[in-house]
Amino acid sequence: MAVREELKTDQDLVLLVRRYQPSADLELLHRAFEFADRAHRGQFRESGVPYIQHPLAVAMILAELEMDLPTVVAALLHDVVEDTGVKLEDLRRHFDPEIALLVDGVTKLSQLESKSRVEQQAENLRKMFLAMAQDIRVILIKLADRLHNMRTLAFRPREKQKVTAQETLDIFAPLAHRLGISRIQWELEDLALRYLEPEAYRELVDLIPQKRQEREEYTKSFIDRLYKELARTGIKADIQGRAKHFYSIYRKLQGPPPRDISEIYDLIAIRVIVDTIKDCYAALGVVHSLWR
């Protein structure tokens, strides 16, 4: 059974933005929220919540990525031209032209998406998205929009779930990868897998009992320990790590050759970057001394 969406307010967004941009014009955020709330009044999501919760969630995803204020404000307003009686001229009159330009870009991408979904191959559509977006922030808003739609996909009919999930896997996750936004890419892929291969997804959830957050905490402790040991031996290194997400594990299981979960050892990934080949072998020796 679908879980009811958690309702947020513009104050939640203000607190989030204030954390990384304390000098931002927070009154502008509140004004944009009020504008969008009035424009979407009487509209509801398929989950039954007021529609304003969607642009608010999109804005919060971008604030979590610490995007600039115009991007967050445009996210709040991103559907008003397409889905309400508001005209682009109204946005130019009430807000900065930069914000209106971002909203216009998102609106055009949405129109392109609906017209070209069948006509264009996924790769061509991705190229058209990138070519049409004069400002890369337009793509970021579109990715955050798709991420929230995927998070609430449980409220849609089964056939629409499959179509949206496949489109996400073909178009939006590769876009996030191309832009280097791994957090969005991984979540999009995992959510798409959940609806395209529900049985395989449930099996992975059962076979990997640790939650992603727990695996990420383990990865961090692994990195911290390795940093200390490398520093003790005088090796300067940059260490990066992440917990593998379900879609990545699923693809490995599919092969080639097909494998069993017991054969998949790399549920976390660590990369150690050093200055010289000598340090590389020395670092490998440290790793071997800590873990067999």
Side-chain angles (χ1 to χ4, degrees), residues 247-271:
Y247 182 70
S248 174
I249 298 167
Y250 169 79
R251 289 187 63 185
K252 286 200 170 190
L253 291 173
Q254 299 306 300
R259 287 188 276 179
D260 184 80
I261 188 70
S262 61
E263 300 176 74
I264 306 294
Y265 296 107
D266 54 340
L267 296 182
I268 66 171
I270 303 292
R271 178 183 292 129

Side-chain angles (χ1 to χ4, degrees), residues 13 33 45 58 99 103 117 129 132 188 222 250 259 280:
L13 178 61
F33 174 82
R45 298 274 286 171
V58 173
I99 292 169
V103 174
R117 188 172 296 162
F129 266 45
M132 281 190 64
L188 287 176
F222 184 105
Y250 169 79
R259 287 188 276 179
C280 183

Side-chain angles (χ1 to χ4, degrees), residues 20-58:
Y20 70 91
Q21 200 175 351
S23 61
D25 182 0
L26 300 176
E27 176 57 32
L28 175 61
L29 268 183
H30 180 70
R31 188 156 56 86
F33 174 82
E34 290 292 323
F35 187 96
D37 191 28
R38 284 194 303 273
H40 290 296
R41 196 153 293 164
Q43 297 178 343
F44 294 88
R45 298 274 286 171
E46 287 178 291
S47 61
V49 304
Y51 193 90
I52 186 61
Q53 288 295 311
H54 170 64
L56 180 57
V58 173

Side-chain angles (χ1 to χ4, degrees), residues 182-191 212 242-243 245:
S182 301
R183 282 171 54 186
I184 289 183
Q185 175 201 345
W186 298 337
E187 187 174 353
L188 287 176
E189 288 176 341
D190 280 356
L191 288 168
R212 181 175 180 82
R242 63 181 176 88
H245 59 301

